[in-house]
């Protein structure tokens, strides 16, 4: 193994996960990370394009819920507004109860079936079930002063956190907190009685940026290789997704001499773990009429986990590209074919008819419904295998040159 590449890999990972304390969109740390990515690409002789978009950081000062003489442990919902309210506690466990109840000027506990899965933000454009939209609409019309949600686990939508925030939406302005399903059952005994909720939370405006490295000649034949640079607040974001961004930087070095007849873009997207995916929306707007110029997207997310192989999953590749991909996979014993998965930025390109390859860790793909790592403090450098980052970058270097 190239010792210099290995040391650079470790340095990049250390920077994104330790030197930068918070890569959540809108935060100073997030802007520090994007500047570092931009400067590193420039040092490696890549032209860069910066896409700026509006965002905001979120400051969480904690919350206190009191019912009778008891305090209940609650967490502030991400991006929620703060509050200081005393009111009668009401409860709803189904959409029907929410639609038919009188909740005006009350504090509302959502529990049971209605709180089984994280609600999509009200303005989320890629996936927004009618059931979620109806719940949000009913809440906004209900007249409630604040919302408490009691949740269990839902790894597919919310990562490994327990409890998970039912509401994670900066466009939703009713203050909310969340608690465990167990505490929710205890709190339910206080229905009809006065409770008090104080939540210290505020939104802080600050821009975000996508950074795109560009090499090559032909703008009508683009290969776009993507990884999101942001992370959930409170998580080091090692697998999700410092490893992906590090792969982009190692690949940038391996392709430093590239002068081929395809245009290569190395895109650090900024918003995959942000409620409104603002960076991805900014990229779509900038490329609204140019997706037909993209011949392939390669998206990296959740790669280089220490257990198991690397997974290369292909989507809608024509036969010649499938053959080239198969040749590359055969050359690398740590890389295998993976099953199809949708929870990543490659889905954007697929919606626009662009074929894609999604790169992750096979263990994560196989355990996506039950894993308890992503979006938590467990997603740290101890679970990363740096050698796999180099292997992936080397494989992509060969694949791109074959194309």
């Amino acid at each position: 193994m190239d010792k210099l590449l290995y040391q650079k890999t470790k340095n990049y990972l250390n920077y994104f996960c330790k030197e930068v304390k918070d890569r959540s969109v809108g935060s100073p740390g997030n802007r520090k990370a994007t500047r570092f990515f931009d400067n590193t690409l420039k040092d490696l002789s890549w032209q860069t394009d910066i896409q700026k978009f509006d965002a905001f950081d979120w400051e969480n000062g904690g919350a206190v819920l009191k019912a009778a003489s008891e305090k209940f442990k609650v967490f502030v919902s991400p991006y929620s507004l703060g509050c200081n309210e005393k009111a009668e506690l009401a409860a709803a466990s189904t959409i029907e109860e929410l639609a038919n109840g009188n909740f005006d000027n009350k504090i509302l506990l959502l529990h049971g079936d209605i709180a089984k899965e994280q609600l999509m933000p009200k303005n989320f454009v890629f996936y927004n079930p009618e059931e979620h939209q109806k719940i949000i609409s009913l809440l906004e019309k209900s007249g409630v002063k604040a919302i408490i949600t009691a949740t269990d686990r839902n790894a597919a939508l919310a990562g490994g956190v327990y409890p998970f925030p039912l509401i994670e939406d900066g466009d939703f302005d009713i203050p909310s907190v969340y608690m465990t399903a167990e505490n929710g059952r205890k709190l339910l005994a206080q229905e009809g009685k006065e409770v008090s909720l104080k939540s210290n939370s505020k939104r802080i405006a600050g821009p975000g940026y996508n950074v795109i490295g560009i090499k090559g000649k032909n703008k009508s034949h683009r290969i776009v290789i993507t990884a999101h640079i942001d992370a959930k607040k409170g998580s080091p974001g090692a697998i999700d997704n410092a490893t992906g961004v590090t792969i982009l930087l190692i690949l940038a070095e391996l392709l430093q001499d590239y002068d081929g007849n395809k245009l290569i873009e190395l895109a650090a997207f900024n918003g995959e773990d942000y409620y409104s995916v603002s960076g991805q929306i900014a990229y779509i707007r900038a490329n609204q009429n140019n997706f037909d110029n993209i011949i392939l997207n390669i998206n990296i997310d959740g790669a280089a986990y220490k257990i198991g192989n690397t997974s290369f999953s292909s989507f809608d590749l024509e036969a010649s590209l499938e053959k080239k991909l198969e040749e590359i996979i055969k050359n690398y014993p740590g890389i295998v074919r993976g099953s199809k998965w949708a929870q990543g930025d490659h889905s954007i390109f697929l919606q626009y008819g662009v074929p894609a390859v999604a790169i992750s860790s096979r263990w994560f793909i196989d355990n996506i419904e039950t894993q308890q790592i992503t979006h938590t403090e467990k997603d740290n450098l101890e679970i990363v295998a740096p050698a796999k980052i180099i292997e992936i970058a080397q494989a992509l270097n060969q694949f791109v040159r074959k194309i």
Side-chain angles (χ1 to χ4, degrees):
M1 180 178 293
D2 187 314
K3 291 184 179 179
L4 182 59
L5 280 184
Y6 188 83
Q7 188 57 53
K8 283 190 174 184
T9 296
K10 294 187 71 173
N11 290 345
Y12 291 150
L13 290 170
N14 188 71
Y15 184 85
F16 288 122
C17 295
K18 290 187 176 180
E19 290 188 43
V20 176
K21 302 297 184 185
D22 174 15
R23 299 198 317 275
S24 62
V25 176
S27 69
N30 181 273
R31 290 189 286 275
K32 183 178 179 181
T34 52
R35 281 195 302 270
F36 177 84
F37 188 82
D38 179 45
N39 290 334
T40 304
L41 286 180
K42 288 175 178 174
D43 290 343
L44 293 170
S45 304
W46 286 70
Q47 177 187 343
T48 63
D49 178 40
I50 306 295
Q51 296 173 345
K52 183 179 178 180
F53 56 88
D54 293 331
F56 58 77
D57 193 11
W58 163 63
E59 188 174 286
N60 175 8
V64 177
L65 172 66
K66 295 180 181 178
S69 59
E70 187 174 359
K71 281 187 179 181
F72 287 83
K73 186 174 183 179
V74 291
F75 308 90
V76 182
S77 299
Y79 312 110
S80 173
L81 295 173
C83 70
N84 189 1
E85 301 286 357
K86 282 186 179 181
E88 179 186 331
L89 179 69
S93 63
T94 66
I95 293 178
E96 290 72 23
E97 290 177 2
L98 181 60
N100 297 323
N102 177 13
F103 305 113
D104 191 43
N105 288 317
K106 297 178 182 178
I107 293 176
L108 176 62
L109 170 65
L110 297 177
H111 65 104
D113 186 65
I114 201 171
K116 66 182 182 298
E117 62 182 24
Q118 191 171 48
L119 299 175
M120 289 297 103
K122 57 188 291 187
N123 295 320
F124 192 76
V125 297
F126 298 119
Y127 169 73
N128 209 327
E130 287 186 16
E131 181 180 275
H132 293 197
Q133 295 177 50
K134 185 173 182 180
I135 292 170
I136 292 295
S137 177
L138 288 169
L139 288 172
E140 290 184 323
K141 295 174 182 176
S142 67
V144 299
K145 288 186 171 183
I147 300 167
I148 305 162
T149 69
T151 61
D152 208 320
R153 291 190 184 276
N154 191 324
L157 286 178
V161 295
Y162 172 72
F164 67 85
L166 185 72
I167 300 168
E168 186 170 341
D169 187 354
D171 296 319
F172 183 79
D173 289 337
I174 302 173
S176 68
V177 298
Y178 61 105
M179 65 190 337
T180 64
E182 181 183 8
N183 277 337
R185 288 188 287 271
K186 293 178 181 177
L187 181 63
L188 192 58
Q190 302 299 320
E191 185 177 7
K193 301 176 183 178
E194 185 179 79
V195 298
S196 67
L197 175 63
K198 184 176 182 179
S199 173
N200 299 303
S201 176
K202 65 180 179 178
R203 301 166 181 170
I204 305 168
Y209 303 90
N210 293 329
V211 182
I212 303 166
I214 303 167
K215 257 189 187 297
K217 301 172 182 176
N218 193 344
K219 292 183 179 180
S220 64
H221 290 81
R222 299 156 60 201
I223 301 169
V224 181
I225 307 172
T226 54
H228 72 87
I229 196 168
D230 60 304
K232 282 286 187 185
K233 191 174 286 289
S235 172
I239 297 294
D240 188 23
N241 186 34
T243 53
V245 179
T246 298
I247 290 166
L248 292 186
L249 291 179
I250 297 299
L251 181 59
E253 182 153 345
L254 297 176
L255 288 170
Q256 196 169 0
D257 65 342
Y258 178 80
D259 193 30
N261 62 355
K262 305 289 190 297
L263 192 75
I264 299 175
E265 295 181 6
L266 303 181
F269 280 171
N270 203 0
E272 204 267 354
D273 281 328
Y274 188 58
Y275 77 93
S276 60
V277 289
S278 301
Q280 284 77 348
I281 296 296
Y283 183 85
I284 289 171
R285 287 173 178 163
N287 287 274
Q288 194 67 55
N289 300 316
N290 296 314
F291 276 95
D292 57 347
N293 295 334
I294 304 173
I295 63 172
L296 179 67
N297 166 242
I298 301 170
N299 183 53
I300 310 160
D301 197 352
Y305 184 53
K306 63 183 181 180
I307 297 173
N309 293 314
T310 295
S311 166
F312 276 41
S313 304
S314 62
F315 300 78
D316 304 332
L317 267 61
E318 61 183 38
S320 61
L321 276 179
E322 282 284 9
K323 184 178 179 181
K324 288 181 173 66
L325 183 64
E326 188 62 34
E327 290 170 355
I328 294 299
I329 291 174
K330 286 180 180 178
N331 289 335
Y332 291 90
I335 299 175
V336 297
R337 286 280 190 173
S339 58
K340 290 178 172 26
W341 52 284
Q343 297 93 329
D345 288 329
H346 54 285
S347 296
I348 297 171
F349 293 87
L350 294 172
Q351 289 179 20
Y352 281 87
V354 178
V357 176
I359 298 173
S360 190
S361 301
R362 185 169 183 174
W363 185 92
F364 268 102
I365 301 306
D366 290 346
N367 295 278
I368 200 164
E369 301 286 344
T370 58
Q371 60 84 21
Q372 299 176 22
I373 295 172
T374 57
H375 301 176
T376 76
E377 293 180 354
K378 296 177 184 177
D379 186 9
N380 56 50
L381 293 183
E382 293 179 6
I383 66 172
V384 174
K388 293 182 180 180
I389 289 174
I390 297 172
E391 182 179 50
I392 294 166
Q394 290 172 335
L396 290 179
N397 176 42
Q398 287 193 5
F399 185 41
V400 166
R401 292 180 189 272
K402 275 180 175 286
I403 299 172

